[in-house]
Amino acid sequence: MDFSFSGLKTAVLNHLHNLSQKGEAYDINDISASFQQAVVDVLVKNTVNAAVKMEVNKITLAGGVASNRCLRKQMKEHAKAKGIEVLYPSPVLCTDNAAMVACAAYYGFIKGTFCDLRLNAVPGLRLGEK
């Protein structure tokens, strides 16, 4: 059930670069819409297939991607066809992790909490820990 988007953005960038090198015109709106649809197709297919395989009756969308209207609509349609409910918060509550980290950093800044340039990433670190 593992899947990855590695290579998808690179493929689009290479395609645009090749078109530019050849002097060919392209519609960035069309390419953007095609990219979005490709991502939604993969997310919907793999998520619904995983839910069926794991015999669950609910799918939850969360994070920044959960505010995408196309993803919401297609996930609901495909999941409903398999008897699966899709749950997600209102778009205003679908924040990206980067926004949450920035908010936490802001309050740390206000308190005067700083780290030097030797700081390293610790994925399991809890909010407020160093």
Side-chain angles (χ1 to χ4, degrees), residues 84-106:
I84 300 169
E85 182 181 9
V86 177
L87 307 165
Y88 44 77
S90 66
V92 72
L93 299 174
C94 296
T95 57
D96 189 331
N97 290 341
M100 290 185 271
V101 170
C103 182
Y106 169 78

Side-chain angles (χ1 to χ4, degrees), residues 45-66:
K45 178 184 173 213
N46 288 334
T47 303
V48 172
N49 286 345
V52 169
K53 183 175 182 177
M54 299 306 292
E55 299 179 355
V56 297
N57 61 359
K58 289 183 175 75
I59 293 171
T60 302
L61 299 179
V65 72

Side-chain angles (χ1 to χ4, degrees), residues 34 36-46 71 74 78:
S34 296
Q36 174 182 268
Q37 191 59 56
V39 170
V40 167
D41 288 347
V42 170
L43 284 174
V44 169
K45 178 184 173 213
N46 288 334
L71 176 62
Q74 290 186 27
H78 287 81

Side-chain angles (χ1 to χ4, degrees), residues 9-126:
K9 289 190 291 186
T10 302
V12 173
L13 288 173
N14 287 337
H15 178 66
L16 293 174
H17 182 71
N18 289 337
L19 290 173
S20 293
Q21 283 186 324
K22 295 176 186 176
E24 294 182 29
Y26 57 85
D27 181 351
I28 195 66
N29 294 323
D30 182 47
I31 290 174
S32 298
S34 296
F35 177 83
Q36 174 182 268
Q37 191 59 56
V39 170
V40 167
D41 288 347
V42 170
L43 284 174
V44 169
K45 178 184 173 213
N46 288 334
T47 303
V48 172
N49 286 345
V52 169
K53 183 175 182 177
M54 299 306 292
E55 299 179 355
V56 297
N57 61 359
K58 289 183 175 75
I59 293 171
T60 302
L61 299 179
V65 72
S67 64
N68 184 287
R69 288 184 306 246
C70 183
L71 176 62
R72 288 173 177 244
K73 180 178 183 283
Q74 290 186 27
M75 187 70 76
K76 262 191 141 162
E77 289 172 358
H78 287 81
K80 184 178 180 181
K82 300 287 185 180
I84 300 169
E85 182 181 9
V86 177
L87 307 165
Y88 44 77
S90 66
V92 72
L93 299 174
C94 296
T95 57
D96 189 331
N97 290 341
M100 290 185 271
V101 170
C103 182
Y106 169 78
Y107 287 105
F109 176 80
I110 296 298
K111 290 179 182 177
T113 307
F114 301 97
C115 296
D116 61 29
L117 295 177
R118 292 174 291 173
L119 180 68
N120 198 358
V122 181
L125 194 65
R126 293 179 180 204

